[in-house]
Amino acid sequence: ENTSVLSILGTGSQAYSHAEAMMEVLPNLERIKIWGRNQEKAQILGDKIQNQLNPTNISITVHETVDSCIDLADVMCTVTSSTVPILTKDHIDRLKPGCHLNAVGSCTPQHHELDPEIFQFCVQNGEDGNSLKQKIVTDSVDACMKEPGEVLSYLKNKTAQEEDHSSNFVGLGDLLVNGSEESVGDISF
């Protein structure tokens, strides 16, 4: 409802599709911020969004750094084919409380858009016993335990005591159908 800033990290067809989808579901969107490893491609994406989607009252800016692109973001879409994290533990303090992260690009064990510390940060509240344990929402928990490289790295770093690694994840369908008594966290996926 109060979502006004969208950050897109990546420049390919998924980046464009996510901009289009977010413009459709975020009626109060005021800014789209774009970052890509290739600044020329980032500018081309910004121009394409401007020219083909013709957003009214939405400014589109291209950023040279991930830091400047994610500042003040209410929603972030990572849509890259990166094999090294583009969102790292160094970015944790820059994540806006309540922001939502669509981590889309990592669909194989070789791809890593996020540091494992990003996941740990998202679920750490609740581990002290004083608050509800946070959840990471995914389209398929089973697939998430097998495919994205960043999730596999996160699970590998988990303590040996925690046998059911999937306990930090909830399927979107399950959440929508059954609801949840647990929090989806300050940063949601």
Side-chain angles (χ1 to χ4, degrees):
E1 157 181 330
N2 293 325
T3 302
S4 63
V5 180
L6 168 65
S7 291
I8 298 175
L9 305 176
T11 59
S13 61
Q14 285 288 331
Y16 178 82
S17 296
H18 277 75
E20 183 177 30
M22 294 299 115
M23 287 171 58
E24 187 68 30
V25 299
L26 301 173
N28 296 322
L29 195 59
E30 297 173 1
R31 294 178 65 195
I32 298 175
K33 301 168 75 173
I34 301 168
W35 171 87
R37 289 173 286 207
N38 180 314
Q39 288 292 291
E40 184 179 339
K41 288 182 179 180
Q43 188 61 54
I44 289 169
L45 173 64
D47 293 344
K48 182 178 179 181
I49 292 169
Q50 185 67 54
N51 295 331
Q52 293 184 9
L53 299 178
N54 196 23
T56 308
N57 300 320
I58 298 175
S59 71
I60 300 171
T61 54
V62 173
H63 295 261
E64 291 184 9
T65 67
V66 171
D67 287 352
S68 66
C69 189
I70 67 172
D71 277 344
L72 304 174
D74 298 300
V75 175
M76 286 183 280
C77 298
T78 59
V79 288
T80 73
S81 59
S82 184
T83 56
V84 295
I86 56 172
L87 278 180
T88 69
K89 64 182 177 182
D90 297 331
H91 295 113
I92 289 174
D93 290 338
R94 301 185 84 82
L95 299 178
K96 183 178 177 181
C99 76
H100 174 80
L101 175 59
N102 288 328
V104 180
S106 294
C107 56
T108 72
Q110 294 77 30
H111 292 101
H112 297 266
E113 291 185 310
L114 313 175
D115 256 352
E117 289 87 352
I118 300 287
F119 289 101
Q120 187 59 39
F121 173 75
C122 293
V123 299
Q124 71 185 357
N125 292 333
E127 291 182 358
D128 60 5
N130 294 326
S131 58
L132 291 173
K133 190 166 184 170
Q134 312 281 326
K135 291 289 186 179
I136 296 170
V137 180
T138 181
D139 53 350
S140 166
V141 174
D142 289 340
C144 198
M145 297 298 109
K146 298 173 189 165
E147 295 172 3
E150 63 233 345
V151 173
L152 298 176
S153 293
Y154 163 71
L155 297 175
K156 183 179 177 183
N157 290 339
K158 296 292 290 172
T159 62
Q161 309 159 8
E162 187 174 342
E163 293 179 25
D164 181 12
H165 298 299
S166 64
S167 65
N168 290 331
F169 296 83
V170 62
L172 177 60
D174 292 335
L175 184 66
L176 293 173
V177 171
N178 303 321
S180 176
E181 293 182 17
E182 300 184 75
S183 173
V184 292
D186 284 337
I187 309 295
S188 62
F189 284 83

